[in-house]
Amino acid sequence: MTESNDHLIDWLRDAYAMEQQAETMLTAMSERIEHYPDIRARISEHIRETRRQADMLRGCIERRGGDVSTIKNMAARAMAAAQGLGGMFASDEIVKGAMASYTFEHMEIASYRCLIAAADEVGDVETSRVCAEILREEQAMAEWVFEHLPEVTRAFLARSETAGAEAKV
Ligand code: MG
Ligand code: FE
């Protein structure tokens, strides 16, 4: 089981880095949103969930005798910041951001689905429980984004048709 244990801890570290990236991305997005209060509120809620997810993952990693890699996390944050900057210059930023969020949530869903299987395989009941809890939050967020994509698109288009109104964010 040594190999499996090593993989599990690696994947938990990857997930931790992914949540760091999520926090940076979501924070950048929410700070720039001015005209879409519903989206801003849901993102703020998910930022709180994301911070808690990262804490819970750190707990799983430390319980298994590992620690969180600073270099990987710094790289993840830098990448997220660069992505945030890239999106800033697109005139349809809010629509692009919503699509990117939907994609990101699904990357998270896939990660936790694999983590649960790996944790079950090595008999780590607590890690499996934590990842199942996080998975539900990611699925709820993905569903919310899916439901709101048409509304975001319509709101963006309506604002862009209105003279003087700023449609971007
Ligand atoms: Mg997450
Ligand atoms: Fe998420």
Side-chain angles (χ1 to χ4, degrees):
M1 275 312 201
T2 318
E3 289 290 317
S4 299
N5 277 307
D6 288 350
H7 285 301
L8 175 58
I9 205 142
D10 270 352
W11 294 338
L12 284 168
R13 284 199 188 101
D14 290 342
Y16 183 82
M18 178 177 71
E19 296 303 347
Q20 302 281 305
Q21 187 187 348
E23 192 195 333
T24 306
M25 251 167 42
L26 292 168
T27 305
M29 214 182 280
S30 82
E31 278 170 358
R32 292 185 43 76
I33 292 174
E34 282 173 38
H35 304 300
Y36 306 89
D38 293 1
I39 302 172
R40 199 183 161 137
R42 185 62 179 94
I43 290 176
S44 297
E45 189 189 340
H46 201 54
I47 291 171
R48 285 191 294 276
E49 289 174 339
T50 299
R51 289 198 186 115
R52 200 174 143 261
Q53 292 169 357
D55 287 344
M56 291 193 295
L57 287 169
R58 181 195 282 267
C60 291
I61 293 164
E62 288 174 352
R63 210 162 16 79
R64 300 194 60 81
D67 52 18
V68 291
S69 145
T70 330
I71 296 165
K72 201 173 238 176
N73 293 319
M74 274 164 52
R77 280 187 182 270
M79 209 166 86
Q83 279 166 356
L85 280 175
M88 262 166 59
F89 302 107
S91 66
D92 56 352
E93 181 181 352
I94 192 76
V95 180
K96 290 283 199 299
M99 286 195 283
S101 300
Y102 187 69
T103 308
F104 196 90
E105 293 308 325
H106 281 82
M107 187 173 77
E108 295 186 290
I109 288 168
S111 302
Y112 291 110
R113 183 98 168 125
C114 294
L115 273 171
I116 292 166
D120 288 345
E121 197 60 22
V122 304
D124 186 338
V125 179
E126 177 62 7
T127 296
S128 178
R129 190 199 61 75
V130 163
C131 292
E133 189 183 330
I134 298 176
L135 175 63
R136 281 192 294 276
E137 290 177 346
E138 310 301 13
Q139 285 175 316
M141 182 61 177
E143 225 161 276
W144 191 93
V145 176
F146 183 81
E147 288 307 316
H148 288 78
L149 279 170
E151 188 187 318
V152 169
T153 307
R154 284 192 297 268
F156 167 77
L157 289 175
R159 287 193 69 86
S160 61
E161 290 291 341
T162 311
E166 215 214 310
K168 275 177 93 169
V169 278

